[in-house]
């Protein structure tokens, strides 16, 4: 089995894949330690592992992964991937963005793809039907936009999402004006990308992932595929690609 680890700023997402590439289980850790790796390796017959991290890598975790795996990959800009990376500065490209693109390409091969990762920031990346990663854009995420309005003004309040609330077209009070401005702004932003790419690309699909993906998708009119494990799926494909090297 393959152990895939996506270590972010606030949490670590884990997935176990079998030899056929099917996810058999997944976990989320607030704090992920070497002891957690040991426990996972005792519960599952882990053969290979991959770690992607946007924070400082825990040496103890890496040492256990090396020891408990036949093949361990520490994913960085130099790691071979099964798509072509056309980014001008590969060193600065977020590993999660590249892994998500690999995952989308695996799930929808031979299609032009828009990959949206709606986390702290919202990233928009484009992958051609030939598997060429052509780059993308970075915008403030949902919570970041609410916090910016609060922190950069003197009187506007901090608005929090109520998933049950219907988003008005125009707010009739300050709370609803901020809520509608942020949520509908993101919706129009995403739909604008989709419409632009649909006119320029044949056989086009959109994937969305990330912590805010489900909420954002519920407010979209366009057809979008929600895949919350897109980065982990991509990491498993990158690991499989390196096993044949």
């Amino acid at each position: 089995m393959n152990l895939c680890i996506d270590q972010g700023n606030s949490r670590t997402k884990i997935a176990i894949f079998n030899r056929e590439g099917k996810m058999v289980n997944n976990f989320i850790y607030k704090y992920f330690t070497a002891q957690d790796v040991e426990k996972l390796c005792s519960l599952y017959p882990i053969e290979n592992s991959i770690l992607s991290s946007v924070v400082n890598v825990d040496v103890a975790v890496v040492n256990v992964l090396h020891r408990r795996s036949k093949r361990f990959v520490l994913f960085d800009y130099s790691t071979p991937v099964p798509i072509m990376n056309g980014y001008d500065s590969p060193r600065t490209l977020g590993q999660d963005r590249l892994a998500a693109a690999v995952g989308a390409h695996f799930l929808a091969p031979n299609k032009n793809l828009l990959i949206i990762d709606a986390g702290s920031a919202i990233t928009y990346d484009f992958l051609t039907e030939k598997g060429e990663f052509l780059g993308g854009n970075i915008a403030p995420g949902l919570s970041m936009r609410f916090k910016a309005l609060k922190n950069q003004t003197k009187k506007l309040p901090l608005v929090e999402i109520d998933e049950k609330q219907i988003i008005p077209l125009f707010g009739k009070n300050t709370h609803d004006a901020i809520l509608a401005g942020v949520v509908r702004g993101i919706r129009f932003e995403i739909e604008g990308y989709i419409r632009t790419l649909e006119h320029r690309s044949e056989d086009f699909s959109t994937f969305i992932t990330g912590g805010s993906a489900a909420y954002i998708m519920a407010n979209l009119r366009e057809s979008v595929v929600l895949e919350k494990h897109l980065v982990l799926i991509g990491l498993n494909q990158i690991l499989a690609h390196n096993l044949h090297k």
Side-chain angles (χ1 to χ4, degrees):
M1 289 186 171
N2 291 343
L3 171 61
C4 300
I5 305 168
D6 174 26
Q7 193 167 36
N9 289 302
S10 59
R11 59 183 183 168
T12 298
K13 290 172 281 187
I14 308 287
I16 310 291
F17 292 84
N18 62 21
R19 291 185 177 181
E20 289 71 43
K22 181 180 179 181
M23 183 184 295
V24 298
N25 213 338
N26 63 89
F27 312 91
I28 295 177
Y29 293 82
K30 186 173 183 180
Y31 303 105
F32 187 67
T33 67
Q35 288 73 28
D36 294 316
V37 180
E38 293 280 11
K39 184 176 181 180
L40 287 169
C41 290
S42 66
L43 292 173
Y44 299 92
I46 301 299
E47 295 178 286
N48 311 294
S49 60
I50 183 169
L51 169 63
S52 172
S53 180
V54 299
V55 297
N56 292 330
V57 176
D58 187 335
V59 175
V61 169
V62 170
N63 288 340
V64 175
L65 290 169
H66 268 297
R67 177 167 52 83
R68 297 297 297 260
S69 309
K70 291 181 180 178
R71 179 70 184 274
F72 167 63
V73 174
L74 181 58
F75 182 41
D76 64 17
Y77 74 95
S78 65
T79 304
V81 295
I83 61 175
M84 292 167 277
N85 188 353
Y87 209 63
D88 287 342
S89 52
R91 283 177 179 266
T92 66
L93 175 62
Q95 296 157 14
D96 51 349
R97 291 173 62 189
L98 189 58
V102 171
H105 183 62
F106 170 71
L107 295 174
N110 304 315
K111 284 193 172 186
N112 293 295
L113 300 171
L114 173 64
I115 302 106
I116 303 169
D117 193 335
S120 298
I122 301 177
T123 58
Y124 301 92
D125 291 310
F126 184 70
L127 190 76
T128 72
E129 60 185 356
K130 297 179 180 179
E132 300 169 307
F133 182 85
L134 299 185
N137 298 333
I138 303 172
L142 197 62
S143 294
M144 193 180 296
R145 298 185 195 209
F146 286 129
K147 290 176 182 177
L149 287 171
K150 168 67 170 64
N151 296 334
Q152 299 300 318
T153 64
K154 292 184 178 181
K155 293 186 177 181
L156 292 181
L158 177 63
V159 171
E160 295 184 358
I161 291 174
D162 178 358
E163 295 188 3
K164 297 180 180 180
Q165 182 175 354
I166 297 174
I167 308 299
L169 180 59
F170 293 105
K172 293 185 177 180
N173 55 68
T174 302
H175 176 279
D176 287 0
I178 293 173
L179 181 66
V182 169
V183 175
R184 286 192 177 274
I186 290 174
R187 170 185 157 182
F188 296 151
E189 185 175 292
I190 291 174
E191 291 176 348
Y193 276 108
I194 292 174
R195 285 194 297 270
T196 299
L197 291 171
E198 280 178 337
H199 288 143
R200 297 185 180 185
S201 309
E202 295 181 356
D203 209 5
F204 170 78
S205 293
T206 300
F207 282 86
I208 188 167
T209 191
S212 300
Y215 179 76
I216 290 173
M217 184 175 174
N219 289 281
L220 292 177
R221 290 183 179 177
E222 301 289 343
S223 176
V224 176
V225 178
L226 172 64
E227 178 49 74
K228 62 180 180 179
H229 301 302
L230 194 60
V231 172
L232 290 167
I233 291 170
L235 287 176
N236 189 55
Q237 291 305 306
I238 293 168
L239 177 56
H241 181 71
N242 281 268
L243 292 177
H244 296 94
K245 292 291 182 180

